[in-house]
């Protein structure tokens, strides 16, 4: 932006996004997972919820978690980084708990969730994504806020 006298002035920028380098790929994958998990669970909840309410509800929760992580990665800043780390750790715990649960007691899940069998129905992306995100959030360049 220039002033009336031809001097250059800088525009104050917001927090640096966590989407540089591998962060761009993470946002893309999380965005795809949001669409997949939310659309799948919305359809299943609307049409056959009584068949597997736990599985369909967990898929909806996964979609919300994916959406929140996507938002924090795009939002950027150190606060968003910390929130994303907590959410990714919770996501990984969910994948490991639900994945193990589906292997130990498959009768509890008459239909699969996004996290069933550690995300096998989604090419194991649900278990690999939070691990990759946690690594990136730890290694991505830091910045000062505010």
């Amino acid at each position: 932006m220039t002033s009336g006298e031809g001097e250059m002035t800088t525009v104050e920028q917001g927090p640096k996004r966590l989407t540089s380098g591998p962060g761009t790929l993470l946002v893309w994958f999380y965005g795809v997972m949001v669409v997949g998990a939310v659309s799948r669970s919305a359809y299943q909840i609307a049409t056959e919820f009584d068949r597997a309410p736990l599985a369909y509800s967990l898929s909806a929760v996964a979609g919300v978690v994916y959406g929140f992580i996507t938002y924090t990665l795009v939002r950027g800043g150190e606060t968003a980084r910390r929130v994303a780390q907590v959410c990714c750790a919770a996501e990984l715990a969910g994948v490991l708990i639900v994945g193990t649960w589906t292997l130990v007691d498959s009768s509890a899940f008459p239909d699969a969730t996004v996290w069933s069998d550690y995300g096998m129905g989604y090419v194991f992306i649900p278990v690999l994504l939070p691990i990759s995100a946690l690594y990136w959030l730890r290694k991505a360049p830091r910045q000062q806020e505010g």
Side-chain angles (χ1 to χ4, degrees), residues 38-123:
V38 170
S39 60
R40 174 184 178 167
S41 64
Y43 173 78
Q44 291 171 323
I45 288 170
T47 61
E48 52 195 11
F49 185 71
D50 57 331
R51 180 171 168 228
L54 178 60
Y56 303 152
S57 297
L58 286 172
S59 288
V61 168
V64 170
V65 170
Y66 294 145
F68 194 73
I69 292 169
T70 303
Y71 171 76
T72 58
L73 289 172
V74 171
R75 172 97 170 106
E78 288 307 306
T79 301
R81 177 195 304 267
R82 289 188 296 275
V83 170
Q85 285 175 321
V86 169
C87 289
C88 288
E91 173 196 359
L92 181 58
V95 172
L96 295 175
I97 291 166
V98 172
T100 302
W101 190 0
T102 57
L103 293 175
V104 171
D105 183 14
S106 60
S107 65
F109 295 89
D111 203 354
T113 74
V114 175
W115 294 341
S116 291
D117 303 321
Y118 308 108
M120 186 168 63
Y122 287 81
V123 197

